[in-house]
Amino acid sequence: MARSKSCETPESAVAGGGAGVPAAPGGGRPLIITEDPVLLDDLLRLCAAAGAEPHVRHGVAEQDGAGGPAGASDPGSAGVGWESAPLVLVGDDAAGRVRGAPRRTGVFLVGRDLDDPLVWQRAVEIGAEEVLRLPDAESLLVDRIADVVEGAGRPALAVGVIGGAGGAGASTLACALAVRAARAGERTILIDGDPLGGGMDVLLGGESAEGLRWPDFAASRGRVGAGALEESLPELHALRVLSWDRGDRVVVPPAAMRSVVAAARRRGGVVVVDLPRRVDEAVAEVLAQLDLVLMVVPGELRSVAAAGRVAAGVRMVARDVRVVVRGRCPGGLDPEAVAGLLGAPLAGEVPVEVGLPGRVAEGEPPGAQGRGALARFCDGFWQRALGPSQGVPA
């Protein structure tokens, strides 16, 4: 292939192909130094999978005046060189050419020869952080490149909402939590994890909004670009929503579910997931990435009995499960009793909000009215959850 100083921006930010999400502009461009055409092809492919547009250097056998590889201060390179690139991938064939360059972080020696006994010596000589051997380290390398492009930082606080019994109002609470977080200025993504729930986009009044839905991501493999994911989703009420379309597909492979939820978390803020009551392999992938699961349970005995079965499955994967009591039935159980019977901490009580179903039918999403009981619960929850420690207090 023809070798140039930079490759074109990839059309997909999904590793290994998949949803065809346009790549988002990167926060940094890695530098590739190699003259091995096969290795270069591999590195360009991995950069494309991570949504990165790298710079490529070839003839670096001589040193520039600053002691770095020739071309490091090339004015035609947009200022990206050995010292300014956020990440440097040095091919094993080029290790000798960058020996003596200024020491810096973010240098990786990349090659294919697993039996070369001198590879670690060369890595030390150039100050490499790691030696990455392809193809075994491809996933790790894609992650490293994508972190540079997207800017690795604190992940989003991820909260799942699940109904302890049928009709408990879990989807309503999930939607309201997302709406209130977005109105508080948090970057918010609402994920519909229940293919049989009717669609969170419908609950938000945006079933016809343009953007990708779950079936578009069913073939996703590897790492999904966080920025590309966010930009591809419908934007409704200042938040992004990943819902289901009106088609027949009701299954997303566990690997795709894992990749998409991980991408949603990567840019920080808040991720809210509406969960189905069954825990299959795909749902388990989501539960494993959540910081907290809120189980919505009506305050009556039969619902508590059903919730016990749901809780048993959720606790096998989730790290933290808490109870939200939705409304009180005449003669029913008080919130503390419900939580006690389920053996889980009480996150609070959400009274039934008069007039909410009618407002939703008219296109107003749950939580939109700041003075309503649902909005007050959500605002209080986020105030506690999004404190200085970015964690949910016990």
Side-chain angles (χ1 to χ4, degrees):
M1 63 175 283
R3 289 182 276 178
S4 60
K5 289 191 176 182
S6 65
C7 66
E8 296 298 321
T9 301
E11 290 299 316
S12 172
V14 181
V21 184
R29 297 178 64 180
L31 174 64
I32 297 174
I33 302 176
T34 183
E35 291 192 3
D36 182 339
V38 176
L39 180 60
L40 178 58
D41 282 347
D42 286 336
L43 293 177
L44 291 178
R45 172 176 56 83
L46 296 176
C47 283
E53 183 182 1
H55 287 278
V56 179
R57 295 278 180 262
H58 301 291
V60 295
E62 301 175 359
Q63 301 292 315
D64 65 12
S73 302
D74 181 1
S77 68
V80 176
W82 176 266
E83 295 188 55
S84 59
L87 183 73
V88 180
L89 306 176
V90 180
D92 201 11
D93 64 293
R97 300 173 184 269
V98 300
R99 188 183 296 116
R103 293 301 173 106
R104 51 152 296 167
T105 60
V107 176
F108 297 88
L109 185 63
V110 187
R112 287 187 169 279
D113 186 358
L114 299 175
D115 299 320
D116 185 353
L118 300 179
V119 63
W120 299 106
Q121 178 181 332
R122 291 195 291 274
V124 171
E125 289 173 349
I126 68 172
E129 291 185 13
E130 290 185 60
V131 176
L132 301 177
R133 288 308 190 191
L134 304 182
D136 293 348
E138 284 192 357
S139 295
L140 174 60
L141 187 51
V142 169
D143 282 347
R144 296 284 190 178
I145 297 169
D147 283 342
V148 167
V149 175
E150 298 168 0
R154 174 177 287 171
L157 178 64
V159 178
V161 185
I162 190 169
S171 295
T172 298
L173 178 58
C175 186
L177 283 168
V179 168
R180 300 311 299 175
R183 293 198 175 186
E186 293 291 334
R187 169 193 172 268
T188 305
I189 295 181
L190 174 61
I191 296 177
D192 187 353
D194 187 358
L196 303 180
M200 295 299 287
D201 54 351
V202 176
L203 197 55
L204 286 162
E207 59 269 27
S208 60
E210 293 186 1
L212 300 185
R213 266 68 172 181
W214 264 122
D216 298 305
F217 294 92
S220 299
R221 301 184 304 276
R223 179 161 175 149
V224 176
L229 170 69
E230 187 171 358
E231 292 178 8
S232 73
L233 300 178
E235 184 174 8
L236 303 168
H237 303 280
L239 60 91
R240 299 283 181 167
V241 58
L242 175 53
S243 189
W244 298 84
D245 63 7
R246 312 284 83 85
D248 296 332
R249 178 182 282 274
V250 295
V251 175
V252 171
M257 190 75 78
R258 177 176 61 248
S259 297
V260 169
V261 174
R265 295 197 65 193
R266 206 171 293 131
R267 279 190 161 186
V270 165
V271 173
V272 180
V273 185
D274 181 39
L275 295 164
R277 293 175 61 209
R278 71 182 188 284
V279 180
D280 57 18
E281 189 175 352
V283 174
E285 291 287 357
V286 178
L287 288 170
Q289 298 192 57
L290 298 179
D291 298 297
L292 172 68
V293 176
L294 298 177
M295 178 178 294
V296 185
V297 186
E300 52 94 16
L301 191 58
R302 187 164 178 264
S303 295
V304 173
R309 298 186 182 92
V310 177
V314 172
R315 285 193 181 111
M316 293 178 66
V317 186
R319 68 191 75 175
D320 191 347
V321 181
R322 306 190 188 190
V323 174
V324 175
V325 177
R326 185 72 185 274
R328 291 197 191 188
C329 301
L333 302 169
D334 61 38
E336 290 76 13
V338 172
L341 288 170
L342 292 172
L346 178 65
E349 179 185 7
V350 180
V352 174
E353 189 168 319
V354 178
L356 178 61
R359 294 197 299 271
V360 170
E362 294 175 357
E364 179 185 291
Q369 290 203 356
R371 296 182 179 179
L374 189 57
R376 289 197 300 272
F377 171 86
C378 295
D379 290 346
F381 172 81
W382 290 127
Q383 187 175 6
R384 297 188 301 272
L386 296 171
S389 63
Q390 190 74 14
V392 181

